[in-house]
Amino acid sequence: MATKRPDGGTDSGGPAPSSASPPPPNAWAIFVAYLLLGTALSFAFGREPGTVSPDIIREIYPTVLVDAYSLRVTSGSTSSSVVRLVMATKRPDGGTDSGGPAPSSAPPPPPNTWAIFVTYLLLGTALSFAFGREPGTVSPDIVREICPTVLVVCLFITSYSLSDVMAVGIAKARHGFMTKPYGSLQSHPPEEVYFAMRAQSNQVEQMPGFIVASLSFSLFVNGKVGAVLALLWAVLRRLYASCFRASVGKTLNQIGLSRFTIPAYFIVNSMLMGTAVQCVRSLSK
């Protein structure tokens, strides 16, 4: 075996390995590549624009089966990872690895869950009666009705891949995760890496509700209003992730993430309750 020289190289003449982090990939170049691939798929395999399969259930059934299996296999992995990170970064004095001191006052009482649920229900009822179509009916042009919402969902998930997922890799590379043993880094990750991972995992946690709420509301209640609400939610979540990643050295109170998360919760749960109310109205006819 080749022996290692003091300068970090080897007797075989190889230079010392570079410790510099690789440059981050160009997000716009990746987005253009995604767009070109999606365009190729649409033109090569897409049906006539503005139409759906005459047997829509049989058409989507294989995809639903695959998605259901994937969710069953991967459920709980994100939450358990977050719990491990939170437990690892908590200091014995109650503070955190970010340098913040232990809280000096008792935490505020938790909000009343029933009061929040009633608020969501009232907002959903208002959306159903104010913007919902005739209960028990769908738009005569269902594709055009839900296309704006599907577009928002697709763009948000792509932005998640380009921004949130890549940000984790870039932060890890910047702090030497590629060249250091993973054990110590997993126990006490640098704050920048932890914040990037937490922002990314929280986006995953919020996405299922967003997708179900946006598509079901647009299908059963109103496509245009559903698209607008979905877009507002997506903007709030993009601001949330950017703010979280840029908050190294700050406490959670200083970051102020609730100004993004609370409106996003109200938007998605109002759409869910609006869909539920519309379904009840349809069934009661």
Side-chain angles (χ1 to χ4, degrees):
M1 294 176 64
T3 56
K4 191 173 182 181
R5 300 198 309 265
D7 65 354
T10 65
D11 286 342
S12 62
S18 172
S19 59
S21 301
N26 188 309
W28 281 108
I30 297 176
F31 173 77
V32 171
Y34 289 160
L35 182 61
L36 291 175
L37 289 171
T39 302
L41 288 172
S42 174
F43 279 88
F45 302 105
R47 62 180 61 88
E48 180 68 22
T51 64
V52 295
S53 170
D55 190 353
I56 187 64
I57 300 299
R58 186 177 296 275
E59 181 83 5
I60 68 172
Y61 189 62
T63 305
V64 172
L65 280 179
V66 173
D67 288 344
Y69 177 78
S70 300
L71 287 172
R72 183 177 66 83
V73 170
T74 60
S75 61
S77 59
T78 299
S79 299
S80 60
S81 300
V82 171
V83 169
R84 286 198 299 270
L85 280 173
V86 171
M87 293 176 64
T89 54
K90 189 173 180 182
R91 298 200 311 261
D93 64 355
T96 64
D97 285 342
S98 62
S104 57
S105 59
N112 188 306
T113 305
W114 281 107
I116 297 175
F117 173 76
V118 170
T119 304
Y120 291 158
L121 181 59
L122 291 175
L123 289 172
T125 302
L127 288 172
S128 174
F129 279 89
F131 302 106
R133 62 181 64 89
E134 179 67 21
T137 65
V138 294
S139 170
D141 191 350
I142 191 63
V143 174
R144 187 175 295 275
E145 182 80 4
I146 67 172
C147 266
T149 302
V150 173
L151 179 62
V152 172
V153 172
C154 290
L155 290 176
F156 176 78
I157 295 177
T158 303
S159 75
Y160 159 79
S161 175
L162 292 173
S163 180
D164 303 316
V165 176
M166 286 177 57
V168 174
I170 292 171
K172 286 183 175 180
R174 187 178 293 127
H175 288 273
F177 272 59
M178 312 303 177
T179 58
K180 298 177 182 177
Y182 191 63
S184 60
L185 294 172
Q186 183 184 26
S187 304
H188 297 281
E191 194 173 23
E192 180 185 5
V193 175
Y194 174 76
F195 279 2
M197 293 175 65
R198 188 66 193 98
Q200 182 263 331
S201 61
N202 191 262
Q203 297 284 51
V204 175
E205 294 162 9
Q206 302 300 320
M207 234 183 287
F210 161 66
I211 295 172
V212 171
S214 301
L215 295 180
S216 61
F217 186 91
S218 298
L219 179 64
F220 292 107
V221 185
N222 189 300
K224 294 183 177 62
V225 176
V228 171
L229 293 174
L231 180 61
L232 289 175
W233 186 94
V235 170
L236 287 169
R237 295 301 305 183
R238 287 265 51 88
L239 293 173
Y240 161 87
S242 299
C243 180
F244 206 164
R245 288 193 297 267
S247 300
V248 175
K250 298 180 181 179
T251 66
L252 288 177
N253 285 335
Q254 291 172 332
I255 300 172
L257 294 176
S258 59
R259 67 185 189 271
F260 307 121
T261 57
I262 292 177
Y265 284 135
F266 272 85
I267 289 173
V268 76
N269 284 286
S270 296
M271 285 197 288
L272 289 170
M273 288 295 98
T275 303
V277 170
Q278 189 77 2
C279 289
V280 170
R281 294 175 63 197
S282 299
L283 292 171
S284 62
K285 285 190 64 176

